[in-house]
Amino acid sequence: MYFPIRLDIKQMKWLFLLIFISGYLLTYKYFTAVRIEFAAYNFLALVALAILLKNIDFSNKKFIAIWIAVVLLLMGYFIRFYWITIDPLPVEKMLPLNPFRTMVADRNALFMSFQFSVIAFASFCFSVSILLFFLKSGLWIGLHSMQNQNSILKIEFIRILLALTVALTGIFAYVNYQYQIGEMGSSPGDPLPFRLKGIIFYARVVCVPLLILLCITFMDHANDIIGSRVGILLLILNGVADMFLRNSRSSLLLALLLLIFLLLVGGVRLRVKEKIFLGLIAVLAFLMVPVMTEYRQVRLIQNLSHIDALVVLFQKEESNWLLQFTQGLKFVLFRMPGIESLWCQLALGAKPLGIYSLDIINSTNGIAGYLTYVIHPMKESNFTLLAPGFVGWLYLVGGTPVILAGTLCIGFITVFAWSLIDAVFIRTSAVAKAFLLWMLFLALTEGTLDSMGFMLLSGIATLTIMEILFRVVFLEITNEK
């Protein structure tokens, strides 16, 4: 007998509530001393999410930033909380050994970190719900876009831009290789005049990917499929190059993430076969995580060049591919700082800095440096900085009041930045939205909010220059007609 089953994707959003229900049932026995409080905080988080879900759906693209924020907060602070409450070992390699042991032994700090996480999450959900209410009731006068989605630049102009971007990618990669700019886990070396190292770093890490995304978007909208796919290939190759040049385990994954963001905002359309191909690239990226871990260790410990380190790796015996994939997947799931960072801070006795946080933020390494060298503490000779995570950063700066203020700001950004981008970045809105999602992703995972200023300035400057250029070129094309 056939029973038709119809799944309404709009109603599937309510499945998110099961995270709190199942999580509570799996972990309540670990908090018998604070049983009532634990149940109350779980209920508060569930109610806050339910109210938010009532106001948003999957189909409206204006809610993409809100959905990204919700998913990241759920993954980093609740799914991970329930997981590490039962088994904290997955985050062992993400933290120094002694602080990890101190953290695991302090269950009271774990519960406190859960309390702060619920406060942050509830504040975000309630603030977004209230802001959406003002939008729906007409109490907010929104910005209106003047964008003409049907306007297309001359394809020759975009091809020239793509060629210039390819040249810039090669030049910056060569300079990065020569001067070892931004290598992870190693000494920054001698500075170049006029802060050129910093300029080159942000130009390569921020400006070049945005230029590639612009080329992909305009070529796709002009139905130049080959050109847009060349742009996608360039984005992936740039991620691979960055992975080896900077000893980074996540550069290729970041390139794929940017492409996903561009796909979500409608900047590019992909066929089913192309999505499958990108899925295979993602699998390769996961496989490369343990390889890049060993690559970094070989380079730093044996003081080898990039090429010599690769030769050493390839000379080793073949590894278990399935094991490498699972290790890479686990690394990605737990590499992004979340509730365990806050748990560790509280276990080590970290207190909100208050007004003193301004001095720390203005110091060389900022809040991440304070966390790494004062709270943990680690040696500066390790050339490593620990990310505090989003809620951890807010807690260190000012405790509960700053957590409430910070999540309110994020809520405001996710609700209104979409309309602002449509109104300001008329020609480059798709890439500007992808950049917004990128910065939101970094803010809600790494949480190094005080060190994101140069990335924001680099991205906004790139988009603004290209926006002005595209408007001028489009006007010239219009006049020709």
Side-chain angles (χ1 to χ4, degrees):
M1 186 178 294
Y2 172 72
F3 295 96
I5 299 176
R6 184 180 178 182
L7 294 176
D8 187 352
I9 192 169
K10 292 184 178 181
Q11 301 304 318
M12 290 180 67
K13 64 183 181 180
W14 298 105
L15 294 176
F16 282 100
L17 298 178
L18 293 177
I19 293 173
F20 297 107
I21 297 171
S22 58
Y24 173 77
L25 294 175
L26 288 171
T27 57
Y28 75 92
K29 60 184 177 182
Y30 294 93
F31 301 96
T32 54
V34 286
R35 184 176 301 170
I36 296 176
E37 292 93 331
F38 185 60
Y41 275 98
N42 275 277
F43 183 71
L44 174 60
L46 185 144
V47 170
L49 179 58
I51 292 173
L52 178 59
L53 292 177
K54 189 177 184 300
N55 292 283
I56 59 176
D57 57 57
F58 286 116
S59 58
N60 194 334
K61 286 187 176 182
K62 289 188 175 182
F63 296 142
I64 290 177
I66 300 174
W67 276 114
I68 294 291
V70 168
V71 169
L72 290 176
L73 290 172
L74 288 174
M75 288 180 60
Y77 292 91
F78 295 101
I79 294 176
R80 190 176 300 185
F81 166 77
Y82 298 125
W83 187 328
I84 64 178
T85 295
I86 300 170
D87 177 23
L89 287 179
V91 298
E92 181 180 12
K93 292 184 178 180
M94 306 302 168
L95 296 166
L97 183 58
N98 289 334
F100 173 78
R101 290 172 176 171
T102 303
M103 176 186 83
V104 171
D106 193 343
R107 287 279 169 169
N108 182 55
L110 174 59
F111 178 65
M112 289 176 61
S113 66
F114 180 68
Q115 288 177 303
F116 285 120
S117 299
V118 171
I119 291 171
F121 184 70
S123 173
F124 171 79
C125 291
F126 288 139
S127 62
V128 170
S129 299
I130 293 171
L131 292 171
L132 290 175
F133 170 77
F134 283 121
L135 277 176
K136 291 179 181 178
S137 61
L139 298 178
W140 172 270
I141 302 175
L143 296 168
H144 298 285
S145 171
M146 297 176 61
Q147 183 175 8
N148 180 3
Q149 297 290 350
N150 295 321
S151 60
I152 299 174
L153 293 169
K154 277 188 175 180
I155 195 62
E156 292 81 4
F157 177 79
I158 303 302
R159 287 172 179 168
I160 293 172
L161 178 62
L162 179 60
L164 291 174
T165 304
V166 171
L168 283 176
T169 303
I171 292 170
F172 284 137
Y174 175 76
V175 174
N176 198 110
Y177 173 78
Q178 285 293 106
Y179 295 99
Q180 300 178 336
I181 299 173
E183 285 196 15
M184 297 183 177
S186 62
S187 170
D190 297 327
L192 293 176
F194 309 109
R195 298 186 177 183
L196 283 176
K197 277 195 173 182
I199 294 172
I200 293 169
F201 174 81
Y202 287 108
R204 186 168 187 276
V205 173
V206 180
C207 302
V208 166
L210 290 180
L211 288 175
I212 297 173
L213 294 182
L214 283 169
C215 293
I216 294 171
T217 300
F218 280 103
M219 286 188 164
D220 187 82
H221 288 178
N223 292 320
D224 185 354
I225 304 300
I226 294 178
S228 69
R229 278 25 179 191
V230 169
I232 291 174
L233 180 61
L234 178 61
L235 183 67
I236 294 173
L237 290 176
N238 184 63
V240 172
D242 190 68
M243 183 170 61
F244 286 104
L245 290 174
R246 299 200 302 117
N247 306 331
S248 173
R249 293 173 287 188
S250 56
S251 293
L252 179 55
L253 287 169
L254 175 60
L256 295 174
L257 186 66
L258 292 178
L259 191 56
I260 291 172
F261 287 156
L262 193 64
L263 185 64
L264 288 175
V265 301
V268 65
R269 298 157 295 179
L270 297 178
R271 302 183 183 92
V272 175
K273 291 182 180 179
E274 292 169 334
K275 293 178 181 178
I276 294 174
F277 173 74
L278 290 176
L280 295 175
I281 297 295
V283 172
L284 176 62
F286 287 126
L287 290 173
M288 289 301 296
V289 167
V291 174
M292 290 308 302
T293 301
E294 194 168 357
Y295 170 79
R296 183 192 296 184
Q297 292 174 348
V298 168
R299 282 211 64 218
L300 298 179
I301 295 174
Q302 300 184 28
N303 194 26
L304 298 177
S305 66
H306 297 280
I307 297 176
D308 291 338
L310 285 174
V311 171
V312 170
L313 285 182
F314 286 124
Q315 286 177 344
K316 291 193 173 185
E317 296 180 0
E318 293 184 2
S319 302
N320 185 322
W321 292 104
L322 180 60
L323 179 61
Q324 282 194 192
F325 177 77
T326 54
Q327 287 178 345
L329 185 60
K330 184 180 289 188
F331 170 83
V332 172
L333 289 175
F334 289 96
R335 165 64 181 84
M336 298 180 294
I339 195 169
E340 79 288 343
S341 180
L342 180 57
W343 179 13
C344 193
Q345 292 175 34
L346 295 171
L348 295 173
K351 301 293 182 183
L353 292 166
I355 193 67
Y356 181 58
S357 64
L358 296 176
D359 295 329
I360 299 298
I361 289 173
N362 290 324
S363 65
T364 303
N365 295 312
I367 296 295
Y370 176 80
L371 172 67
T372 306
Y373 303 129
V374 177
I375 294 177
H376 274 272
M378 294 177 64
K379 297 179 180 179
E380 293 192 26
S381 58
N382 292 333
F383 303 111
T384 298
L385 288 176
L386 299 175
F390 176 63
V391 181
W393 189 93
L394 297 175
Y395 169 79
L396 281 176
V397 170
T400 302
V402 175
I403 290 176
L404 292 172
T407 48
L408 174 62
C409 288
I410 291 294
F412 189 89
I413 290 170
T414 58
V415 172
F416 293 114
W418 220 250
S419 298
L420 180 63
I421 287 173
D422 277 336
V424 176
F425 295 99
I426 296 175
R427 307 294 175 207
T428 59
S429 65
V431 178
K433 289 173 182 177
F435 178 66
L436 168 67
L437 296 181
W438 180 13
M439 294 299 100
L440 187 65
F441 177 86
L442 291 178
L444 294 178
T445 54
E446 298 289 333
T448 49
L449 304 182
D450 54 317
S451 63
M452 289 179 61
F454 287 116
M455 291 192 74
L456 281 168
L457 288 175
S458 302
I460 293 173
T462 301
L463 290 168
T464 301
I465 292 171
M466 298 311 297
E467 175 70 23
I468 294 171
L469 178 61
F470 289 158
R471 289 193 192 188
V472 171
V473 172
F474 180 75
L475 287 175
E476 289 180 356
I477 293 172
T478 305
N479 291 335
E480 288 176 8
K481 292 180 179 179

